[in-house]
């Protein structure tokens, strides 16, 4: 019989501790201490309670917990002395069924890992969907994590231990994230479409209006119809637009969505999560025969990443009336104009049709967007959701420092005009200056010595600057200080300088009322509230220009890595996200009664 949360909350301490037995390998103290936080309002709250206990424990206690775990496919598995929970997990992952070669390889990895870290490799082998990772994924992860720094890897092991406990807890409570699993599967299904050369390598790349892109649009549209949307269409720029009518024809609409195009060799969740989560909510409403006092318009934006054409935010920009007419004549790498690509896709490719996509903000309540975080913050804090306070303001420069190329052997150190060293000095300053703000970031992502040579003092150094901060004022101050320092460094070193501003985007602070709705929704799930800026740009930035907006982030695994095939998130977190979105809909329905 599965346990209920109510039973756990009411049971005497010893009995409650017994109910949670086996969650953390040979370490019942974690669940026992967490029980002091009863009553728990949700499983998510209980999970976080246990996370908190371990986060406050000493490093020694954390290491003892890690060391209480068996090696992956190790001696304990062979001698069949694993706990019942571990046996179940390692068997499901196929580890009890290795070929002699695989087994030998894993033993070697175990030995290397132990020698480097001094504790066993811990991996939640049931994976982000709970159904088990493939053996090759397990081995690839093992190999990759061997390269991590020791402190980072200890924290990564603890995160996997919490994930293992989450799955064990779900089993104990007979809980399955049914909706989260479904949404997870939708991502997996959509990811089978990829542009040709990438598809051959098993990589995910979907760029604007390719065959794979159009197949994605068709899939999303078909899925929307299945979910019960009343109107589904592909608009003049290739966006997929689904509308679930409100209770009355005159009702305004909530606008939501995100993009389904990807970067080259990207992840499966970037953008798509923000389309599928509201679709799952509409599916739920439709199944219950429920109409809200407002319509829900979900848009799968055709283009956000600017990969095939330099037309970033094309999809959301079309809704705000910011489609640049010059884009139609832009050519891709094969010389195909955007106009031709649109015509090939059966789109009208006229400015008139595109202009007609511009939304009248008075017909909308506002815009919300769900997105995978694409950063390490929530993962590190062991939090499933984060409420976005602002999409960061940014500014970019392409610069060149011009010194004097001279003989590396004969030019004394005090007589050099080394352009690369000047930029190196700036790089260290920029790092410290941004860090001092706490939430600003500064990056020199490109750094080249054109025509450089091993025996020549760098005469020129080309570099980029990417500066971002949660407000325009903070970004401006960061920019001012870094450029002033750059000039001072160059002057002191006798270096010439050119700077070219290539991009400037204003901050998009969340509308307070909409941010508050996300906060209420997260709190209602029993998940601790974490507010954070978005370091990346999103479609919400475009909609921000015409209507109030606010975003919700979902934790990414693997330190939140994104624009990378390792991008991942669990079906448990997706379920929480769908519930948060449904809660936001409920709040709006209460605020806007018929
Ligand atoms: Zn994205």
């Amino acid at each position: 019989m599965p346990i209920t949360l109510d039973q756990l909350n009411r049971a005497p301490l010893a009995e409650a501790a017994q109910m949670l037995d086996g969650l953390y390998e040979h370490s019942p103290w974690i669940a026992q201490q967490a029980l002091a936080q009863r009553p728990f309002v949700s499983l998510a709250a209980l999970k976080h309670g246990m996370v908190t206990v371990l986060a406050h424990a000493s490093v020694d206690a954390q290491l003892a917990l890690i060391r209480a775990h068996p090696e992956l496919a190790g001696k304990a598995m062979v001698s069949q002395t694993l706990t019942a929970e571990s046996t179940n997990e390692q068997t499901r992952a196929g580890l009890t069924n290795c070929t002699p070669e695989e087994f030998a390889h894993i033993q070697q990895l175990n030995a290397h890992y132990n020698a480097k870290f001094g504790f066993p490799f811990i991996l939640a082998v049931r994976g982000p969907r709970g159904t088990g990772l493939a053996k090759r994924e397990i081995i690839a992860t093992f190999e990759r994590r061997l390269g991590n720094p020791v402190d980072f890897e200890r924290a990564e092991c603890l995160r996997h231990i919490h994930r293992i406990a989450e799955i064990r807890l779900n089993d104990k409570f007979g809980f399955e994230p049914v909706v989260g699993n479904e949404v997870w599967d939708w991502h997996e299904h959509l990811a089978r479409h990829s542009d040709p050369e990438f598809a051959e390598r098993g990589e995910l790349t979907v760029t604007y209006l390719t065959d794979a892109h159009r197949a994605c649009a068709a899939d999303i549209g078909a899925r929307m119809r299945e979910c019960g949307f009343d109107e589904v269409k592909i608009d003049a720029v290739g966006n997929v637009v689904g509308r679930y009518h409100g209770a009355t024809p005159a009702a305004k609409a909530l606008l939501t969505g995100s993009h389904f195009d990807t970067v080259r060799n990207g992840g499966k969740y970037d953008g798509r999560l923000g389309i599928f989560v509201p679709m799952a909510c509409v599916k739920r409403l439709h199944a219950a025969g429920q109409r809200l006092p407002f319509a829900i318009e979900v848009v799968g934006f055709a283009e956000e990443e600017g990969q095939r054409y330099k037309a970033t935010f094309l999809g959301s920009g079309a809704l705000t009336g910011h489609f640049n007419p010059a884009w139609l004549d832009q050519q891709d790498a094969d010389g195909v104009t955007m106009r031709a690509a649109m015509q090939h896709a059966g789109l009208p490719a006229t400015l008139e049709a595109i202009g007609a996509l511009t939304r009248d903000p008075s017909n909308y309540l506002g815009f919300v967007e769900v997105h995978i975080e694409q950063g390490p913050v929530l993962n590190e804090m062991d939090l499933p959701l984060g409420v976005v306070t602002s999409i960061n303001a940014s500014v970019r420069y392409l610069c060149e420092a011009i010194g004097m190329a001279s003989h590396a052997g004969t030019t004394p150190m005090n007589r050099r005009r080394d352009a690369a060293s000047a930029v190196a000095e700036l790089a260290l300053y920029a790092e410290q200056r941004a860090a001092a703000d706490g939430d600003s970031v500064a990056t020199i992502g490109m750094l080249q010595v054109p025509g450089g040579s091993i025996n020549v003092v760098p005469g020129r150094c080309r570099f980029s600057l990417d500066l971002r901060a949660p407000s325009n004022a903070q970004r401006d101050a960061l920019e001012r200080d870094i450029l002033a320092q750059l000039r001072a460094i160059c002057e002191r070193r006798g270096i010439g300088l050119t700077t070219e501003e290539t991009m400037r985007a204003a901050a998009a602070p969340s509308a307070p009322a909409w941010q508050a709705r996300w906060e209420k929704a997260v709190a209602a799930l029993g998940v601790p509230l974490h507010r954070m800026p978005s370091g990346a740009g999103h479609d919400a930035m475009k909609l921000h220009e015409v209507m109030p907006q606010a975003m919700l982030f979902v934790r990414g695994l693997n330190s939140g890595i994104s624009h990378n095939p390792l991008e991942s998130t669990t079906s448990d977190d997706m379920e929480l996200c769908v519930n948060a979105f449904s809660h936001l809909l409920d709040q709006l329905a209460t605020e806007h009664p018929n």
Side-chain angles (χ1 to χ4, degrees), residues 275-481:
I275 306 169
F276 287 146
V277 164
M279 281 168 59
C281 292
V282 166
K283 184 178 177 185
R284 200 180 257 178
L285 289 169
H286 176 72
Q290 199 183 343
R291 293 285 170 183
L292 299 176
F294 51 90
I296 303 173
E297 189 172 317
V298 181
V299 185
F301 293 113
E303 207 290 339
E304 190 259 11
E305 303 281 11
Q307 299 280 307
R308 182 173 177 191
Y309 298 98
K310 287 189 183 61
T312 312
F313 298 114
L314 181 156
S316 45
L319 269 58
T320 60
H322 292 103
F323 184 89
N324 180 352
W327 285 343
L328 285 178
D329 296 312
Q330 215 188 107
Q331 295 181 4
D332 71 1
D334 298 323
V336 179
T337 63
M338 187 185 288
R339 182 181 286 106
M342 284 179 161
Q343 284 163 348
H344 178 69
L347 303 178
T350 64
L351 290 175
E352 195 189 5
I354 296 169
L357 302 181
T358 309
R359 300 297 198 268
D360 177 354
S362 69
N363 294 331
Y364 292 91
L365 300 173
F367 179 78
V368 289
E369 182 176 357
V370 163
H371 206 283
I372 189 165
E373 182 203 335
Q374 302 186 281
V377 176
L378 295 172
N379 187 241
E380 241 165 53
M381 297 178 80
D382 267 305
L383 293 175
L385 302 171
V387 176
V388 177
T389 53
S390 176
I391 303 173
N392 280 353
S394 58
V395 63
R396 288 181 184 164
Y397 284 91
L398 287 176
C399 312
E400 185 164 359
I402 304 133
M404 177 58 74
S406 59
H407 196 295
T410 61
T411 317
M413 294 312 286
N414 61 358
R415 288 177 172 79
R416 292 182 177 210
R417 288 163 58 206
D418 182 331
S421 293
V423 180
E425 202 180 324
L426 178 76
L428 294 178
Y429 173 79
E431 193 176 57
Q432 288 160 10
R433 173 61 185 77
D437 281 348
D439 51 5
S440 294
V441 288
T443 308
I444 297 182
M446 301 193 299
L447 186 66
Q448 294 150 350
V449 176
S453 178
I454 195 166
N455 56 358
V456 176
V457 174
R460 293 196 300 156
C461 183
R462 282 192 199 141
F463 63 102
S464 60
L465 270 176
D466 177 306
L467 312 176
R468 308 187 197 204
S471 72
N472 294 346
Q474 189 176 322
R475 185 257 336 254
D476 294 346
L478 177 74
E479 178 189 12
R480 208 162 43 235
D481 287 357

Side-chain angles (χ1 to χ4, degrees), residues 258-259 270-272 304-305 369 371-372 374 537-539 563:
S258 192
H259 61 98
D270 176 4
R272 296 158 176 211
E304 190 259 11
E305 303 281 11
E369 182 176 357
H371 206 283
I372 189 165
Q374 302 186 281
H538 294 292
D539 291 302
H563 288 184

Side-chain angles (χ1 to χ4, degrees), residues 169-190:
L169 192 70
N170 288 351
D171 289 348
K172 272 183 186 293
F173 280 73
F175 169 76
E176 201 190 329
V178 178
V179 177
N181 286 344
E182 186 175 29
V183 172
W184 202 94
D185 294 343
W186 290 350
H187 288 88
E188 204 61 21
H189 193 248
L190 194 65

